[in-house]
Amino acid sequence: MIRNTFSILNGIGDKLERKLWGAGILTWDKFIGAPDITFISAHKKTFFDESLSSALNALDHADAAYFARAIKRRDHWRLYDIFKEESACLDIETNGFMPGSGGVVTVIGIYDGFDYKCFIRDENLTAESVMEEISRYKYLITFYGSGFDIPYLLRAIPGLKFDIPHFDVCFGTRRLGFRGGLKRLESELGIARDEIVKDMNGYDAVKLWEHAQRGSSDALKILKLYNKEDTVNLYAIAGIVYQRLRTQTGIEHYL
């Protein structure tokens, strides 16, 4: 999808992008190779050609950081098919308070489509361990992470950086007309959750952490399972949402 994306260019929105598609300009290469485009001035086209050439070079080198800067955040989902093999689904649990008011991150879960890694407060959750793990990926997937998880982490773990594209599935589903949280989305898509944590929510995760702090190994085990289900299911959901967002653009009509 990213090679069909012209909203990367300043001044080009969804309407003009579809106009380009309708004119047979479906990819960056087609745009650059066209001698002229009737509804884009020669001056602008020269500038756009340079921008797209830079984007193609970044794509050839899998430079995810370039696209994190160059593409509007609302369009980061369009990079999914390019970076999905190097992506990480991230979800955090907290003690129920905000940073600065006694809030701490209790669990960070990361799933890459194959392995789930769990970072637990007072065990293996450190700024260094989390940054080292995040540095392995080129694409971040969350559910409302741009509104909660990432801002919370940046405040709670000084020095942590996220300079890669970020597909926030929550806002992707909003564009598709869906209203509700991750659990409701799982239900609508027929994605199952382990029975042990099927009916749990964020408040339950806070209470489990409190029990774990009092020495309950079972509570910690269930908390980890709850977090794992969030990240693993999100990985499956991201692929579905990406395909539906792609269809919504209308690109398939022009291919």
Side-chain angles (χ1 to χ4, degrees), residues 132-239:
E132 181 180 356
E133 182 63 22
I134 291 296
S135 69
R136 297 178 55 240
Y137 305 102
K138 293 189 174 182
Y139 195 63
L140 186 67
I141 300 171
T142 69
F143 192 89
Y144 197 59
S146 57
F148 179 71
D149 302 67
I150 303 306
Y152 198 108
L153 284 171
L154 292 176
R155 290 184 64 189
I157 306 178
L160 189 62
K161 294 181 180 180
F162 293 92
D163 58 356
I164 55 177
H166 176 192
F167 178 14
D168 192 327
V169 174
C170 176
F171 292 105
T173 61
R174 296 293 185 272
R175 293 171 68 174
L176 294 171
F178 176 83
R179 295 292 181 270
L182 181 62
K183 313 304 183 295
R184 180 180 170 188
L185 185 58
E186 290 172 352
S187 178
E188 291 204 5
L189 295 176
I191 296 176
R193 180 172 282 249
D194 191 291
E195 287 293 327
I196 296 175
V197 296
K198 181 179 179 181
D199 298 317
M200 279 182 54
N201 56 35
Y203 176 75
D204 295 318
V206 171
K207 302 307 291 184
L208 283 170
W209 176 252
E210 292 176 356
H211 289 306
Q213 288 296 93
R214 299 189 192 104
S216 173
S217 58
D218 286 341
L220 184 58
K221 183 178 179 180
I222 295 172
L223 178 59
K224 289 169 63 178
L225 177 60
Y226 173 74
N227 180 267
K228 180 180 180 179
E229 292 290 276
D230 277 355
T231 57
V232 172
N233 286 356
L234 180 59
Y235 192 87
I237 289 170

Side-chain angles (χ1 to χ4, degrees), residues 40 53 86 88 107 118-119 121 128 133 148 167 176 204 253:
I40 294 178
S53 293
E86 298 176 272
V107 175
C118 187
F119 298 87
R121 182 174 176 80
E128 293 75 18
E133 182 63 22
F148 179 71
F167 178 14
L176 294 171
D204 295 318
H253 174 74

